[in-house]
C-alpha cells in the first residue's frame, strides 16, 4: 500500500528537506494530477516547473531510492503544499494515484516501459531524452503515443531555447550559404579511471527494481546516484546523453529525416579497459568517440572525449555548420557565433538560458501545457525526438559492431545486415517483457 508523505518519513532514517524558494505564482487553466517517476536532481528540476506553472497538483512520486523520494516529497510540500503519495513501483502508482501527467526522469533503460504504461493509463507524458535505450524500444513508445492519442514532450530543451531559435532562424535564412558539413561535439577533462569497490545496497533502495529489464550487476556508488549515464546497461554514454541534443539540432535544421549510413569508432584509451566483477567495477562507456552520419546532401559528424579540455578551439560544445558563406557555431553557454569567410564583421550573440542550470525547462513545460490544451504537437514531440535518438543509438550500434551500417529510415532496419538488426533491440531480464513496436 502507498504511504502518505508523513507515514513514509516516519519509516525511513533519512528525510532531509531540499532547499528552494517558496511557490510564487500560478496561471489560469486546468490543474492536472501530476506524478514524477525518478525523483533525483533532474526530475525535481522538471517538477519545479510543473509546480511553478500553477497547473499541477503533485499526487505521487515514484523512485526505487526512498531516501531521495522522501527528500523530494519535502520539497514538493514546501513549494506547493501538496502531499504526494510515495511509491517504489510505477505500475502501482499509475493504478492508485491515477495521474493525468507523468514526468519520467529515470535512467534511460526505464524510459520505454514506464512511458508506454503511463500512456496506456491515459496520462500525458513528459519524458527525458533519449527516448529509449534501443531503437525498437523508442519506436514502441511512438506507437503507444499514437494509440493513446496523448501529448508527449521530450526533454530536448534546446529546441525552444531563445538563442538556439535565433541561431536556427539565421541558419535557415541562407546567410551561412549552402551547408555541406556539420560537426557536433563536446569535450571535457578526465583521466584514467580507478575501479570502485562494490558495496551493499543502501537501506531503503530496491536495487532489483533499479536494474529492472537491464542485467543485474552489483550495486556500486559509481552507478547511483548519478553515474548511470556511463554504464551501457543503463544508458548510451556521452553520445546518448549530450550527443542527442546536438544531433537533434542538425535534424531541426535539415529537411532530411534520417541518414543513409552511419559509422562510429572509439574506445577507452585513457580511462582503460572496463572492470566488472564481484569486488569492483568501472564505467564501460567510451571515453572518446567519433560518428559519421552520411545524409543525401551533407555529412554530419559527432565527436567527444572525456579528457583533454578543448582550449585550442573557441568552443567546447555545440555544432559547427560549415557553409559557403561562413561557419555558424550554435553553442550552450557561449550563445551563437557566425564567422564569415572574409573574417570581417563576426556576429556574436550571447546565450539566453534559464539559470541556475543553464536550460530552458520553463519554456518547454509551458509549451507542453499549451499543446495539451490545444491538442497540438509540442516543440519536442515524440516522433521527432525518436529520430534524433536513433542517430545516437545508431552510432552506438555501429561502435559495438565495429563497422558502418546502411540505414533504411522508413522501415527502421539496417539493410542486408541481420547481425546489426539484432542490436536494434536487446534481451530483457526476466520477468520484464520487451515492448512490441
Amino acid at each position: 500500500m502507498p504511504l502518505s508523505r508523513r507515514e513514509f518519513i516516519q519509516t525511513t532514517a533519512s528525510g532531509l528537506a531540499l532547499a528552494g524558494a517558496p511557490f510564487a505564482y500560478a496561471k489560469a487553466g486546468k490543474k492536472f494530477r501530476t506524478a514524477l517517476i525518478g525523483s533525483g536532481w533532474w526530475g525535481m528540476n522538471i517538477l519545479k516547473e510543473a509546480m511553478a506553472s500553477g497547473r499541477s497538483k503533485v499526487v505521487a512520486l515514484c523512485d526505487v531510492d526512498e531516501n531521495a523520494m522522501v527528500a523530494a516529497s519535502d520539497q514538493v510540500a514546501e513549494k506547493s503544499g501538496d502531499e504526494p503519495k510515495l511509491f517504489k513501483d510505477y505500475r502501482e502508482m499509475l493504478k492508485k494515484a491515477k495521474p493525468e501527467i507523468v514526468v519520467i526522469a529515470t535512467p534511460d533503460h526505464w524510459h520505454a516501459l514506464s512511458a508506454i504504461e503511463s500512456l496506456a493509463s491515459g496520462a500525458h507524458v513528459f519524458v527525458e531524452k533519449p527516448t529509449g535505450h534501443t531503437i525498437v524500444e523508442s519506436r514502441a513508445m511512438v506507437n503507444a503515443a499514437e494509440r493513446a492519442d496523448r501529448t508527449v514532450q521530450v526533454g530536448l530543451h534546446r529546441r525552444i531555447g531563445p538563442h538556439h531559435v535565433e541561431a536556427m532562424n539565421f541558419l535557415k535564412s541562407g546567410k551561412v550559404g549552402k551547408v555541406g558539413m556539420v560537426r557536433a561535439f563536446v569535450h571535457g577533462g578526465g583521466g584514467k579511471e580507478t575501479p570502485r569497490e562494490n558495496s551493499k545496497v543502501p537501506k531503503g533502495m530496491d536495487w532489483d527494481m533499479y536494474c529492472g529489464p537491464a542485467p543485474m550487476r552489483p550495486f556500486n556508488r559509481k552507478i547511483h546516484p548519478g553515474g548511470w549515464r556511463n554504464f551501457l546497461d543503463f544508458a548510451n554514454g556521452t553520445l546518448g546523453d549530450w550527443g542527442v541534443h546536438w544531433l537533434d539540432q542538425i535534424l531541426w535544421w535539415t529537411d532530411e529525416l534520417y541518414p543513409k549510413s552511419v559509422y562510429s569508432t572509439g574506445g577507452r584509451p585513457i580511462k582503460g579497459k572496463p572492470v566488472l566483477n564481484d569486488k569492483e567495477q568501472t564505467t564501460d562507456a567510451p571515453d572518446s568517440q567519433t560518428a559519421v552520419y552520411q545524409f543525401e546532401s551533407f555529412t554530419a559528424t559527432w565527436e567527444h572525449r572525456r579528457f583533454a579540455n578543448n582550449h585550442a578551439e573557441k568552443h567546447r560544445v555545440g555544432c559547427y555548420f560549415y557553409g559557403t558563406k561562413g561557419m555558424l557555431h550554435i553553442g550552450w553557454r557561449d550563445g551563437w557565433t557566425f564567422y564569415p569567410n572574409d573574417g570581417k564583421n563576426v556576429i556574436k550573440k550571447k546565450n539566453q538560458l534559464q539559470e541556475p542550470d543553464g536550460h530552458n525547462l520553463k519554456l518547454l513545460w509551458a509549451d507542453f501545457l499549451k499543446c495539451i490544451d490545444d491538442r497540438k504537437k509540442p516543440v519536442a514531440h515524440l516522433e521527432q525526438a525518436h529520430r534524433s535518438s536513433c542517430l545516437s543509438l545508431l552510432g552506438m550500434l555501429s561502435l559495438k559492431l565495429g563497422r558502418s551500417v546502411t540505414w533504411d529510415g522508413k522501415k527502421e532496419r539496417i539493410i542486408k545486415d541481420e547481425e546489426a538488426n539484432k542490436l536494434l533491440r536487446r534481451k530483457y531480464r526476466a520477468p520484464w517483457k520487451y515492448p512490441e513496436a
Side-chain angles (χ1 to χ4, degrees):
M1 292 290 291
L3 303 177
S4 71
R5 172 180 162 269
R6 289 193 181 93
E7 289 169 335
F8 207 100
I9 290 173
Q10 290 169 0
T11 64
T12 183
S14 176
L16 298 176
L18 299 179
F23 183 74
Y25 63 87
K27 293 181 180 179
K30 172 181 167 61
K31 202 161 189 174
F32 294 96
R33 294 172 58 82
T34 302
L36 170 65
I37 306 174
S39 62
W41 163 72
W42 190 250
M44 285 304 297
N45 276 354
I46 301 168
L47 195 63
K48 286 175 191 175
E49 298 304 342
M51 291 187 287
S53 74
R55 296 191 58 189
S56 280
K57 177 178 176 57
V58 183
V59 296
L61 300 176
C62 181
D63 203 300
V64 296
D65 184 342
E66 73 180 35
N67 294 329
M69 182 163 51
V70 168
S73 73
D74 283 346
Q75 190 172 10
V76 169
E78 179 185 344
K79 288 184 172 294
S80 68
D82 295 336
E83 292 199 352
K85 298 292 184 181
L86 306 180
F87 300 84
K88 285 189 174 180
D89 190 318
Y90 68 92
R91 297 165 297 183
E92 183 187 15
M93 182 204 76
L94 292 170
K95 289 177 182 177
K96 294 182 176 177
K98 300 186 185 307
E100 297 167 289
I101 289 178
V102 175
V103 177
I104 300 170
T106 63
D108 298 354
H109 73 296
W110 269 119
H111 288 180
L113 292 180
S114 57
I116 289 167
E117 195 137 354
S118 296
L119 289 163
S121 77
H124 302 284
V125 171
F126 186 111
V127 61
E128 259 311 307
K129 54 75 196 169
T131 48
H133 186 269
T134 54
I135 288 173
V136 177
E137 269 188 353
S138 183
R139 169 48 62 186
M141 291 169 66
V142 175
N143 293 351
E146 290 175 353
R147 288 193 300 270
D149 192 26
R150 298 287 85 184
T151 300
V152 181
Q153 180 86 287
V154 182
L156 292 167
H157 49 81
R158 287 173 175 83
R159 278 258 168 175
I160 205 167
H163 81 253
H164 294 276
V165 173
E166 186 180 72
M168 196 58 60
N169 289 337
F170 183 88
L171 178 62
K172 290 184 176 184
S173 74
K175 293 177 181 177
V176 180
K178 180 175 174 56
V179 173
M181 182 176 179
V182 188
R183 175 182 164 220
F185 59 96
V186 64
H187 302 300
K192 183 174 176 58
E193 183 179 3
T194 302
R196 185 164 183 168
E197 280 193 44
N198 300 324
S199 56
K200 290 183 179 179
V201 176
K203 185 178 179 181
M205 182 165 196
D206 187 339
W207 183 242
D208 182 80
M209 188 68 174
Y210 183 102
C211 293
M216 174 65 76
R217 60 163 66 212
F219 178 82
N220 194 289
R221 289 291 182 186
K222 275 185 175 286
I223 302 171
H224 178 80
W228 52 268
R229 291 173 180 83
N230 287 297
F231 287 82
L232 299 183
D233 284 340
F234 308 125
N236 278 283
T238 303
L239 180 53
D241 181 28
W242 281 84
V244 66
H245 278 298
W246 301 102
L247 294 169
D248 181 64
Q249 299 277 286
I250 296 171
L251 289 187
W252 185 12
W253 156 69
T254 182
D255 292 330
E256 297 186 44
L257 299 179
Y258 30 74
K260 298 187 302 179
S261 64
V262 180
Y263 173 68
S264 182
T265 187
R268 294 170 58 91
I270 302 301
K271 287 191 176 297
K273 291 183 178 180
V275 174
L276 172 59
N277 56 50
D278 291 341
K279 181 182 177 182
E280 60 189 7
Q281 55 186 302
T282 64
T283 65
D284 56 4
D287 64 20
S288 49
Q289 186 175 2
T290 300
V292 180
Y293 300 88
Q294 187 60 57
F295 289 80
E296 287 286 350
S297 60
F298 68 97
T299 301
T301 64
W302 164 263
E303 62 180 61
H304 77 257
R305 61 178 177 270
R306 298 179 62 82
F307 54 88
N309 281 314
N310 205 35
H311 297 308
E313 292 186 281
K314 294 180 182 291
H315 307 286
R316 188 183 71 85
V317 61
C319 284
Y320 290 137
F321 291 85
Y322 299 96
T324 55
K325 297 180 181 179
M327 187 270 285
L328 174 71
H329 172 258
I330 303 178
W332 180 29
R333 292 192 177 277
D334 46 358
W336 66 271
T337 309
F338 177 59
Y339 301 90
N341 283 342
D342 61 9
K344 301 175 182 177
N345 301 318
V346 171
I347 300 172
K348 185 172 179 59
K349 300 284 185 165
K350 293 181 179 179
N351 75 63
Q352 300 170 54
L353 299 171
Q354 180 185 338
E355 299 297 356
D357 296 309
H359 306 295
N360 293 286
L361 290 175
K362 186 180 295 295
L363 295 173
L364 200 61
W365 188 266
D367 177 73
F368 180 44
L369 292 179
K370 187 175 188 307
C371 291
I372 292 173
D373 292 341
D374 297 344
R375 295 185 61 80
K376 293 182 177 179
K377 282 188 177 182
V379 67
H381 64 83
L382 186 54
E383 176 69 45
Q384 165 266 311
H386 163 70
R387 290 195 295 268
S388 300
S389 297
C390 282
L391 293 187
S392 292
L393 298 174
L394 284 168
M396 293 304 293
L397 184 152
S398 172
L399 179 71
K400 291 171 186 175
L401 279 174
R403 62 173 183 271
S404 64
V405 294
T406 304
W407 182 236
D408 184 335
K410 288 184 179 180
K411 294 181 180 178
E412 295 188 348
R413 297 283 293 174
I414 296 162
I415 298 172
K416 296 181 180 179
D417 192 338
E418 286 312 304
E419 182 184 5
N421 280 319
K422 289 178 181 177
L423 296 179
L424 297 175
R425 55 190 296 152
R426 68 167 173 172
K427 186 177 180 180
Y428 270 13
R429 185 169 67 96
W432 300 99
K433 305 289 188 183
Y434 195 92
E436 292 302 321

